[in-house]
Amino acid sequence: MTAGPPIDDIHFDDAPNVDSVPGPNTRALLEKQQEIDSSAVAYPNDIPIAFEEGKGATVRDADGNTYIDMFAGIGVLNVGHSNPYVLEAVHEQADKFVHTVDFPTEARLELIEKLNEIAPAGLKDNNRVVFGGPTGSDAVEASIKLAKYNTGGDGLIAFRGSYHGATPGAMSLTSNKKFKEAYTPMLPEVTHVPYPSTFADNEVGDAESICSRPASECCGSYSCARALEEVQQVLEDPYGGLANPAGIFVEPIQGEGGIIVPPEGFLQGLRDLADDNDIPLMFDEIQSGLGRTGEWWASDWHGVTPDIMTTAKALGGVGFPLSATMYKEELDTWGPGDHAGTYRGHVVGMRAGTRAIEYIQDHDLLAHARELGEYIRGRLQEAADGNDRLVDVRGKGLFIGAEFVDADGAPDDDAVDAIQQYCFEHGVLIWTAGRHGNVVRFVPPLVLTHDLAETALDVVVEAIDHVTDA
């Protein structure tokens, strides 16, 4: 029996359908929020919308305007808004029990078993899972603690362009200086090194001569070789600066950094360096995991297994706050209570997570994400042909970035903001990314249909033409 209705049946039929936006009810709610909510609220500054309800890859605002959702709460709603198969289990569980700390429940154990089922090859049947609180930052903090606990080290290697969260340890790994400058000092002994990209490989250089991997195994990317060389120097050069390393922490595809897909040899090079130096390799799969890229985990594209892996966002099924850290069984050296937290037993979120994984499996949404991602990238690449303002289209599956520059070749965040606004006014919600805010980010629900994608891309391409021709 197939889990729940097919993806064609779970959206509002009239998307997109917008009047002049924002409408009066939305404006009233935005004004009230501004009066009584925190000044830290940010998202409505970019898209002035007040949500009323959602179905699949479509949402409605407080005035009844209907939109195609191409950012899914920043990659949270992989199986769509209000997925009926997930909500069936949510209602059933909520009527029975909600909070259990870490006492055993069927919901908890089923999700652990389901995560093992979809784990990267080297973690399958060789892992333990520790659940965390409501954000991915909690999973990152757990990973840092686990790495330090097992190695006795305190130094961490992270990457420029990275984003790992907003709590102190996660923020220390995050490279955005503006984001954390008001909260220094951060964790000591965190070294940030370059993150490679195929887009950066217009540099001239002999990759094999500097690559940490044997020449026969070098992928030929100069930016990759340069990044691996710097990691190796930090770890192995007597004057590398990091005296007591505890691990390497990396996004297999950078999200906030601009949907940066690393060259083929990068993750394997990190795997080799971590092994050579007897430290754990940690992957942040919070945004890129649970099917987002057309594989369960972005690292699956490279066939590289981490020692420790974080997940959150889509783990809660339809938006329930839940995070987890999966790690190799040999690292399970904690004693009872060595890592603790009140909200490690959100059984409703756990039931939702299991149901979401089942829905992805039964509807073959990994293959769907790969195929639909190719279509979206193809449409964007067509828009880029002959347009010197759209300089790169990249990504895997439904994790896609389109990078824009101005007439002088400088990053153009104004163009991206204008594209986002045009799309909003025409019923399509997109988000932004990149170090300079000049990347349009597409992270739609995996249940986005081809028809909805085609309609959305018609609007996106119109927006690109409208803004870059202006």
Side-chain angles (χ1 to χ4, degrees), residues 93 97 108 110 200 210 220 271-272 323 344 368 463:
Q93 183 62 53
F97 218 82
R108 181 188 190 89
E110 284 174 358
I210 62 171
R271 177 72 275 170
D272 295 342
S323 66
R344 295 189 292 133
H368 178 70

Side-chain angles (χ1 to χ4, degrees), residues 59-147:
V59 294
R60 280 193 181 137
D61 70 14
D63 296 281
N65 297 298
T66 309
Y67 306 80
I68 300 174
D69 183 3
M70 297 291 282
F71 80 102
I74 308 299
V76 168
L77 298 152
N78 283 14
V79 296
H81 298 269
S82 304
N83 184 292
Y85 181 70
V86 177
L87 288 182
E88 177 185 49
V90 165
H91 295 311
E92 178 184 275
Q93 183 62 53
D95 287 340
K96 293 168 59 180
F97 218 82
V98 174
H99 176 70
T100 64
V101 196
D102 59 6
F103 291 100
T105 61
E106 287 186 2
R108 181 188 190 89
L109 302 181
E110 284 174 358
L111 182 55
I112 291 173
E113 290 175 338
K114 206 66 179 173
L115 287 170
N116 177 66
E117 185 179 318
I118 65 171
L123 282 174
K124 189 177 177 68
D125 299 325
N126 176 33
N127 69 79
R128 289 289 184 268
V129 173
V130 60
F131 289 105
T135 73
S137 298
D138 295 286
V140 173
E141 298 286 351
S143 300
I144 294 171
K145 290 170 65 177
L146 186 64

Side-chain angles (χ1 to χ4, degrees), residues 70 153 228 232 288 334 362 364 376 392:
M70 297 291 282
L228 292 175
Q232 184 176 38
S288 60
W334 274 329
D362 282 12
D364 201 11
I376 293 172
D392 195 34

Side-chain angles (χ1 to χ4, degrees), residues 5 16 25 44 88 131 248 258 372 399 454:
N25 294 333
E88 177 185 49
F131 289 105
I248 301 169
L372 197 59
F399 200 28
E454 185 174 356

Side-chain angles (χ1 to χ4, degrees), residues 183-207:
Y183 309 107
T184 55
M186 299 277 97
L187 289 182
E189 298 293 299
V190 176
T191 298
H192 288 88
V193 299
Y195 191 94
S197 73
T198 52
F199 183 54
D201 278 329
N202 53 5
E203 302 177 51
V204 176
D206 181 2

Side-chain angles (χ1 to χ4, degrees), residues 7-8 368 371-372 375 447-456:
I7 65 172
D8 293 303
H368 178 70
E371 293 163 4
L372 197 59
Y375 168 76
V447 297
L448 181 74
T449 65
H450 193 283
D451 286 346
L452 284 170
E454 185 174 356
T455 301

